[in-house]
């Protein structure tokens, strides 16, 4: 008999495996439990031949790891690189083209983004104390976000004259604009954040040197990634673009935080609140769509060596100190009070 | 922010670690609890609230960065044009209080005295597990010119009060800056939004006399 509880359980398992294989591939314990269960079912006398065949199909599906081996290699090469060789001189920010930078930023960021398994989005795992274990890939995305933003600010602030800093800003703005064309909204936000950071934003003399076009472009990019209406402009742009895209992960995380904290798991009758679950599923599903469609960009190790070079990076404090060195604070005499310090 | 015809419009940012319950506070405040229908509207806009303080009409738009706490680099984009900040810590979690101190430093660096600060110790329903010394928190808030309040989102205690206190402080600060003849435009959201416009900075550091 094909029907019956067992057949239904097997159908659910098969469906789970096909739709959400990452649950099993990322959690070896779950994989083992499924294997053990299937083995037991196969050994059972009551199991029909047809059900046994179905069991084999499930096992075969389980053995097919959808993660692409090439991607794993590439990920290790780019993100886990331990070699700290000094950069070749031709691999400086000035020598690399804006489109090279934008493309490789996009390629690496999508690689990182697409690796987040859906279960990391559940139960606010990235906000809990055990987040390092429960949501390592979400954390990697935010770490990298901060790192790229710091790279942008460091590159600007490592120059000693206002015009050279302005030139660096202009180039990053072009990089951001190429990223916008590539629908990499995450990188646009990284770059705009760096321009708005305390150390870059206060450089009055530098900003005066920017061309009208650059200023207009910055205004346009700022509008695109404005936090107004929970990033309504970016959401709209995302909706209107053809994937591949890289959305800014943060706004999905806020949606999830609101859904989780604003609605209860059970409804007033003590039953599971399915509309909450559906809302969560909707967010996760949208992320998955963007994860699955990949960019067709070749890896250029020369550029990624630059983008991941830790030597250039300054920390927040050094950035601010450097900023004060290049353009010291004016001390408005009216408001100056005893005890005010310069930093 | 212009106060046209006795109207005040303020932007408030909500800051704090992931687990301090800041979203619960704002949800409590804005609609006690939001139902499923609300969610679509929620996603489309930040939370707003209208108040009446001594006959003055005050509009608050509250920006919650819930879930994005790890994206530190994004901070300035959120708070650059805000008038007030609510910095939430969990009274049972010393670490979350230390994080509040970092936020205060960062906000003062960027906005100087232009921003009213309100430090909130949340989860007073867990008083017996308290790990942050009340007097110490109070003293710290005073030293940086911030208000200090206690609340419990769970018991709905102190929630209305903290938003009201902050709103009052922002009204006072705005009235003061208007009567000082300072252009209120410099703290206006619309002018700040364009990052290319540069405003003169004020000395940061620890202000003796904050706006709150």
């Amino acid at each position: 008999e094909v029907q019956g509880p067992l057949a239904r359980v097997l159908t659910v398992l098969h469906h789970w495996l096909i739709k959400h294989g990452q649950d099993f591939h990322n959690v070896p314990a779950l994989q083992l439990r499924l294997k053990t269960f299937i083995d037991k079912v196969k050994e059972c006398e009551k199991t029909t031949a047809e059900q046994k065949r179905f069991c084999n199909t499930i096992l075969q599906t389980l053995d097919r790891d959808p993660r692409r081996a090439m991607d794993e290699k590439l990920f290790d090469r780019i993100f886990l690189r331990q070699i700290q060789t000094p950069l070749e001189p031709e691999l400086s920010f000035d020598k690399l083209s804006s489109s090279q930078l934008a493309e490789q930023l996009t390629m690496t960021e999508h690689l990182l983004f697409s690796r987040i398994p859906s279960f990391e989005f559940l139960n606010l795992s990235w906000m809990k104390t055990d987040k390092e274990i429960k949501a390592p890939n979400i954390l990697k995305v935010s770490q990298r976000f901060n790192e790229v933003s710091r790279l942008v600010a460091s590159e600007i602030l490592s120059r000693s004259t206002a015009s050279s800093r302005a030139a660096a800003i202009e180039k990053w703005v072009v990089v951001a604009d190429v990223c916008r064309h590539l629908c990499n909204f995450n990188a646009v936000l990284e770059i705009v954040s760096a321009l708005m950071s305390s150390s870059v934003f206060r450089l009055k003399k530098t900003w005066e040197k920017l061309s009208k076009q650059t200023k207009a472009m910055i205004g346009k990019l700022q509008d695109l990634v404005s936090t107004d209406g929970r990033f309504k402009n970016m959401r709209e742009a995302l909706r209107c673009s053809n994937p591949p895209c890289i959305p800014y992960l943060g706004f999905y995380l806020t949606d999830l935080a609101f859904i989780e904290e604003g609605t209860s798991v059970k409804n007033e009758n003590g039953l599971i609140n399915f509309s909450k679950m559906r809302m969560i599923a909707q967010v996760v599903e949208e992320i998955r769509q963007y994860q699955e469609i990949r960019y067709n960009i070749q890896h250029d190790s020369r550029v990624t060596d630059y983008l991941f070079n830790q030597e250039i990076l300054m920390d927040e404090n050094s950035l601010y100190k450097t900023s004060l060195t290049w353009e010291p604070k004016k001390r408005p005499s009216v408001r100056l009070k005893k005890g005010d310090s310069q930093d | 922010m212009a106060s046209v015809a006795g109207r005040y419009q303020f932007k408030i940012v909500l800051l704090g670690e992931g687990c301090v319950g800041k979203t619960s506070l704002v949800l409590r405040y804005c609609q006690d609890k939001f139902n499923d229908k609300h969610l679509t509207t929620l996603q489309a806009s930040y939370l707003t609230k209208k108040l009446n303080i001594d006959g003055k009409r005050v509009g608050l738009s509250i920006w919650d960065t819930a879930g994005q706490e790890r994206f530190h680099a994004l901070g300035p984009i959120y708070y650059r044009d805000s008038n007030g900040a609510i910095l939430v810590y969990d009274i049972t979690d010393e670490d979350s209080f230390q994080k509040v101190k970092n936020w205060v430093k960062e906000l003062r660096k960027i906005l100087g005295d232009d921003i009213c600060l309100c430090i909130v110790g949340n989860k007073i329903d867990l008083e017996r597990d308290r790990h942050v010394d009340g007097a110490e928190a109070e003293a710290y808030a005073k030293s940086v010119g911030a208000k200090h309040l206690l609340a419990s989102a769970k018991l709905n205690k102190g929630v209305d009060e903290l938003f009201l206190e902050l709103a009052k402080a922002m009204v006072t600060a705005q009235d003061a800056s208007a009567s000082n003849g300072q252009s209120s435009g410099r703290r206006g959201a619309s002018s700040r939004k364009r990052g290319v416009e540069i405003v003169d900075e004020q000395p940061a550091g620890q202000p003796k006399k904050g706006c709150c």
Side-chain angles (χ1 to χ4, degrees), chain B residues 29-99:
Chain B
Y29 183 61
C30 289
Q31 49 226 18
D32 228 6
K33 197 149 222 193
F34 69 95
N35 58 38
D36 305 349
K37 274 183 199 132
H38 265 109
L39 199 79
T40 36
T41 34
L42 250 169
Q43 287 173 339
S45 70
Y46 41 74
L47 296 158
T48 57
K49 185 93 173 179
K50 287 194 168 60
L51 289 176
N52 192 319
I53 300 173
D54 305 329
K56 291 168 181 163
R57 283 196 286 168
V58 178
L60 304 179
S61 46
I62 305 159
W63 299 52
D64 185 358
T65 57
Q68 300 176 51
E69 290 79 6
R70 300 275 133 195
F71 293 83
H72 302 294
L74 198 66
I77 288 199
Y78 264 110
Y79 49 66
R80 188 167 295 283
D81 54 1
S82 55
N83 307 87
I86 294 175
L87 304 129
V88 189
Y89 68 90
D90 172 351
I91 62 160
T92 69
D93 178 3
E94 170 65 26
D95 233 29
S96 71
F97 182 63
Q98 294 307 322
K99 286 278 160 38

Side-chain angles (χ1 to χ4, degrees), chain A residues 207-220:
Chain A
W207 286 90
E208 278 168 0
K209 295 248 191 290
L210 292 180
S211 69
K212 252 196 193 137
Q213 289 92 319
T214 302
K215 284 184 187 171
M217 182 62 78
I218 293 174
K220 200 172 145 193

Side-chain angles (χ1 to χ4, degrees), chain A residues 146 196 222 227 248 254 275, chain B residues 36 63 66 68 70 80 193:
Chain A
N146 298 330
M196 295 301 110
Q222 267 185 293
T227 54
Y248 164 57
T254 301
S275 70
Chain B
D36 305 349
W63 299 52
Q68 300 176 51
R70 300 275 133 195
R80 188 167 295 283
K193 237 178 228 167

